[in-house]
Amino acid sequence: MSYSYQYPHPAVATDCVVFGFDGKDLNILLIERGLDPYKGMWAFPGGFMKIDETAETCARRELSEETGLDIQVMKQLGAFSSVQRDPRERVVSIAFYVLVQPSEVSGGDDARQARWFPIDDVPQLAFDHDFILRKAMSQLRKDIYFEPIGFELLNNAFTMSELQRLYEAILGVHFDRRNFERKMLQTGILQTATESVDDLPASHSWEQVKANRFFGSHREMRRKDINDLFGSSDSSSQTVQDTSPHIHFQALSDEQLSLTDDCQLEAEEASPEVLPKRKPGRKGRLFSFDKEKYARFKHDNNFRFEF
Amino acid sequence: MSYSYQYPHPAVATDCVVFGFDGKDLNILLIERGLDPYKGMWAFPGGFMKIDETAETCARRELSEETGLDIQVMKQLGAFSSVQRDPRERVVSIAFYVLVQPSEVSGGDDARQARWFPIDDVPQLAFDHDFILRKAMSQLRKDIYFEPIGFELLNNAFTMSELQRLYEAILGVHFDRRNFERKMLQTGILQTATESVDDLPASHSWEQVKANRFFGSHREMRRKDINDLFGSSDSSSQTVQDTSPHIHFQALSDEQLSLTDDCQLEAEEASPEVLPKRKPGRKGRLFSFDKEKYARFKHDNNFRFEF
DNA sequence: CCAAAAGTGTTAGGGTTACACCCATGT
DNA sequence: ACATGGGTGTAACCCTAACACTTTTGG
């Protein structure tokens, strides 16, 4: 069985940069590759897109298959299309980044060779994944100015210093404790919480919250703008040094490819260590966020976090 | 001649959202489609990616072929991958946005069925291009907070009110004239200019300026971070309603496809009206920007434009 | 001549920043 | 006991936002 085209087509794959926060450091989730190319190296979860799924669907599926994570919030980083980024054949990868709460991860069931690495201590990555990682970090830094994104990385209840450490980890700067707390509180999206909030089920999904937020607020928006909230796509142009502009790939490397995956075929021993062990930290007043206010937050005022 | 793969591959195309500013309104450049599908409708310049070029290279080539524009600044919006976005076959499109100065356009030579449309009066677009346009607008609004992007849309010399109108057009808000001018001037990136500056050749390219900016400033940056400046990729996840998740495309629609293009084949009558006629406006003190300061600007302080 | 746009400063108020000491907890 | 982190308030300063009249230009 084979598929023919009049002109050569690249393969399209997705990759997920998964960020997690353990109360101390920002971590990313990597998978050890079991097959060539780059066998034994670490890479982002991801795989080839099926012909009948969107890139996002593909990314969710691959992430679920490879790590057991079922993720709510997922943002596209953009397409990476260096000609020689995959030695097998021409592969264009659409990358996403994803924020997981430590609690989402606790049921790390399907985990294979997945491991968390602190963002400051990432091993050499396969393909152009180190490039993608830098994109993801700079994107995360940008996004945090427009949305209180950090919360997606925390459990339902968290201390102010956890929140501060998260912001410091993402932005790479230091804040004054009192000023940080004051500014956070005066956004109105926080409420004090008890320990028990930690166990609360995620009442309604973030997609739902976001949809509500949208309809609640913005003035001159048309029906069609709904997509803006979700399907937004943003990126700078990719100017990787394109040293070999005239490589011609044949339609030959397909035998190495599996539509179902290229990482999924890896080692079967499930390593349930797919969670950034929550570092306890000192006791402190607990906060959670007011979903109503959080939902209205972004659109009502153009608040950005700048400390 | 045909290319075969073990698994179905989507086609990959690029689209360019070209923004231009005529001193009054923000405009986008569209091309009338001469072939089905969507024959007679307007669409962004773009076309299919060759197997040996990056998405950005492809976008530049297509833009040059279809509109005669050779563009400096080009930012990736992300990949659009709805399953049914192209009726011919599965096509994943990588979209870019581009800012052109009116002067860059004056030599609109190769122009075909290209026309500028004010952003408030855009006709119905082919494919999912209206969706892409909304992405582009919201992206532009976001980006303007981090970089003085507006300048790429103006000639070398411009009046303060042109600049203000540009910001107002992009952000959709109104500013107080005096406050706007004060804030702009105190950034230090402006200098007063004479009329003659308008004719100056673009001394060195923006890529060069950006490269200089990079090396000049930021502290703890590693060599690898160079790419961050250019190849950055950013986007929210694309959640178009994916109503038909199980459509299977055959490898049949290729006869309609041309690797070289699908828009390029259109009407041949060159319409040199490929420029937003610069609306004159009243006379006023002219400004240009200090490339040195502009280059250092973003990284030195995290200045964002908020009026 | 008239209409539209350019040019020009000041002030009040809000927000940001900088800063130090005591207390509680855990080791 | 000691060290680490939690808890708390104020004052100076900068930046923002609001505001009106005169002059110039173009038609």
Side-chain angles (χ1 to χ4, degrees):
Chain A
M1 189 157 162
S2 123
Y3 297 81
S4 299
Y5 305 89
Q6 187 178 354
Y7 296 97
H9 282 28
V12 174
T14 61
D15 288 298
C16 282
V17 185
V18 184
F19 288 105
F21 183 66
D22 58 13
K24 278 287 194 193
D25 299 304
L26 196 58
N27 296 271
I28 59 171
L29 186 60
L30 298 175
I31 288 191
E32 189 172 9
R33 289 185 56 81
L35 296 175
D36 268 325
Y38 299 104
K39 182 172 176 175
M41 290 181 74
W42 296 87
F44 295 124
F48 289 97
M49 192 178 77
K50 294 181 179 174
I51 203 67
D52 60 353
E53 66 185 0
T54 66
E56 182 174 333
T57 307
C58 170
R60 285 184 199 281
R61 177 180 54 75
E62 292 285 350
L63 192 57
S64 173
E65 288 175 2
E66 295 180 5
T67 70
L69 287 174
D70 287 314
I71 285 305
Q72 307 284 357
V73 178
M74 175 172 269
K75 288 196 156 200
Q76 193 187 130
L77 290 170
F80 295 82
S81 61
S82 294
V83 173
Q84 72 283 34
R85 58 181 298 284
D86 191 313
R88 292 167 294 184
E89 71 171 335
R90 182 75 202 277
V91 178
V92 172
S93 179
I94 300 172
F96 294 81
Y97 81 79
V98 152
L99 308 174
V100 296
Q101 297 184 358
S103 59
E104 290 186 76
V105 163
S106 46
D109 35 13
D110 285 359
R112 291 159 214 280
Q113 291 300 84
R115 246 185 67 191
W116 289 96
F117 290 87
I119 198 71
D120 301 317
D121 189 23
V122 173
Q124 173 110 28
L125 299 180
F127 304 104
D128 56 353
H129 286 191
D130 52 339
F131 180 69
I132 294 176
L133 176 57
R134 271 174 281 125
K135 290 287 123 28
M137 274 306 296
S138 77
Q139 192 52 41
L140 189 55
R141 288 204 182 106
K142 250 185 175 176
D143 286 346
I144 208 172
Y145 283 103
F146 292 93
E147 292 198 63
I149 262 181
F151 299 117
E152 332 254 8
L153 285 155
L154 293 166
N155 284 319
N156 288 331
F158 46 86
T159 67
M160 190 56 75
S161 45
E162 281 178 324
L163 184 59
Q164 182 174 349
R165 272 193 294 268
L166 174 57
Y167 271 81
E168 289 177 344
I170 291 177
L171 293 172
V173 295
H174 174 74
F175 303 122
D176 179 272
R177 259 164 53 228
R178 286 160 292 188
N179 294 334
F180 182 90
E181 175 163 340
R182 187 184 312 117
K183 186 148 190 180
M184 274 297 165
L185 289 176
Q186 78 192 15
T187 65
I189 61 180
L190 289 183
Q191 55 192 186
T192 57
T194 61
E195 304 251 6
S196 60
V197 177
D198 209 38
D199 321 310
L200 281 182
S203 55
H204 38 312
S205 79
W206 275 114
E207 298 302 333
Q208 185 57 49
V209 171
K210 284 194 163 185
N212 291 343
R213 152 183 13 175
F214 172 76
F215 289 113
S217 50
H218 211 301
R219 21 181 191 273
E220 44 179 0
M221 271 194 172
R222 292 155 303 178
R223 192 50 155 247
K224 296 150 76 183
D225 286 334
I226 299 172
N227 298 317
D228 276 358
L229 267 186
F230 314 113
S232 195
S233 214
D234 172 26
S235 142
S236 308
S237 57
Q238 193 173 343
T239 319
V240 193
Q241 56 283 38
D242 200 359
T243 43
S244 52
H246 289 297
I247 296 173
H248 279 275
F249 286 99
Q250 314 294 5
L252 54 79
S253 40
D254 246 349
E255 65 255 24
Q256 302 173 12
L257 296 176
S258 154
L259 227 205
T260 59
D261 202 4
D262 71 328
C263 289
Q264 193 192 352
L265 307 177
E266 305 186 2
E268 280 298 325
E269 58 266 48
S271 76
E273 211 49 46
V274 188
L275 64 167
K277 52 284 168 195
R278 169 95 178 269
K279 303 228 173 69
R282 295 305 170 87
K283 194 174 297 178
R285 182 179 297 274
L286 287 173
F287 297 90
S288 65
F289 44 94
D290 180 326
K291 289 198 174 183
E292 271 308 307
K293 300 226 178 86
Y294 182 109
R296 296 180 188 285
F297 186 64
K298 175 181 167 188
H299 281 80
D300 284 351
N301 49 20
N302 232 21
F303 184 90
R304 262 154 284 121
F305 293 95
E306 36 193 341
F307 299 93
Chain B
M1 190 157 162
S2 117
Y3 297 81
S4 298
Y5 306 88
Q6 188 177 354
Y7 295 98
H9 282 29
V12 174
T14 60
D15 288 298
C16 282
V17 184
V18 184
F19 288 106
F21 184 66
D22 58 14
K24 277 286 193 192
D25 299 302
L26 196 58
N27 296 271
I28 59 171
L29 186 60
L30 298 175
I31 288 191
E32 189 173 9
R33 290 186 56 80
L35 295 176
D36 268 323
Y38 299 103
K39 181 171 175 176
M41 290 180 75
W42 296 87
F44 296 124
F48 290 96
M49 193 178 77
K50 294 182 178 172
I51 202 68
D52 60 353
E53 65 185 1
T54 66
E56 182 173 334
T57 307
C58 169
R60 284 184 200 281
R61 175 179 55 75
E62 292 286 349
L63 192 57
S64 174
E65 287 174 3
E66 294 180 4
T67 70
L69 288 173
D70 287 314
I71 285 305
Q72 307 286 356
V73 178
M74 175 171 270
K75 287 195 157 198
Q76 193 187 130
L77 290 170
F80 295 82
S81 62
S82 293
V83 173
Q84 72 283 34
R85 57 181 298 283
D86 191 313
R88 293 167 293 186
E89 70 170 335
R90 181 76 201 277
V91 179
V92 172
S93 178
I94 301 172
F96 294 82
Y97 81 79
V98 152
L99 308 175
V100 297
Q101 297 184 358
S103 59
E104 291 186 76
V105 164
S106 47
D109 34 13
D110 285 358
R112 290 161 216 279
Q113 290 301 83
R115 247 186 66 191
W116 289 96
F117 290 86
I119 198 72
D120 301 316
D121 190 24
V122 173
Q124 174 110 28
L125 299 179
F127 304 104
D128 55 353
H129 285 191
D130 53 339
F131 180 69
I132 294 176
L133 176 58
R134 271 172 282 126
K135 289 287 124 30
M137 274 305 297
S138 77
Q139 192 52 42
L140 188 56
R141 288 205 182 105
K142 250 183 175 176
D143 286 346
I144 209 173
Y145 284 103
F146 291 94
E147 291 197 64
I149 262 182
F151 299 117
E152 332 253 10
L153 285 156
L154 294 166
N155 284 320
N156 289 331
F158 47 86
T159 66
M160 190 57 74
S161 45
E162 281 177 325
L163 184 59
Q164 182 175 348
R165 272 193 295 269
L166 174 58
Y167 272 81
E168 290 177 342
I170 291 177
L171 293 173
V173 295
H174 174 74
F175 303 122
D176 179 273
R177 261 162 53 227
R178 287 160 290 188
N179 293 335
F180 181 91
E181 174 162 342
R182 187 183 313 115
K183 187 148 190 179
M184 273 298 166
L185 289 176
Q186 79 191 15
T187 65
I189 61 180
L190 290 182
Q191 55 193 187
T192 58
T194 60
E195 305 250 6
S196 61
V197 178
D198 208 40
D199 321 309
L200 281 182
S203 56
H204 37 314
S205 79
W206 276 114
E207 297 303 331
Q208 186 58 49
V209 171
K210 284 193 162 187
N212 292 342
R213 155 187 4 179
F214 172 76
F215 289 113
S217 48
H218 213 302
R219 24 183 189 271
E220 45 180 358
M221 271 193 171
R222 292 156 303 179
R223 192 50 153 244
K224 295 150 77 183
D225 286 334
I226 298 171
N227 297 317
D228 275 358
L229 267 186
F230 314 112
S232 195
S233 214
D234 172 25
S235 143
S236 308
S237 57
Q238 193 173 344
T239 318
V240 194
Q241 55 284 39
D242 200 0
T243 45
S244 53
H246 288 298
I247 296 174
H248 279 277
F249 285 100
Q250 313 294 5
L252 55 79
S253 40
D254 247 347
E255 66 253 26
Q256 302 173 11
L257 296 177
S258 155
L259 226 204
T260 59
D261 201 4
D262 71 328
C263 289
Q264 194 192 353
L265 307 177
E266 305 188 0
E268 279 298 325
E269 57 265 50
S271 78
E273 210 49 46
V274 188
L275 61 166
K277 51 285 170 194
R278 169 96 177 270
K279 303 225 173 70
R282 297 305 170 86
K283 194 174 298 177
R285 182 178 296 275
L286 287 172
F287 297 91
S288 64
F289 45 94
D290 181 325
K291 288 199 174 181
E292 271 307 310
K293 300 223 178 88
Y294 182 108
R296 295 180 189 283
F297 185 64
K298 175 182 166 189
H299 281 80
D300 283 352
N301 49 21
N302 232 21
F303 184 90
R304 263 155 283 119
F305 292 96
E306 36 192 340
F307 300 94

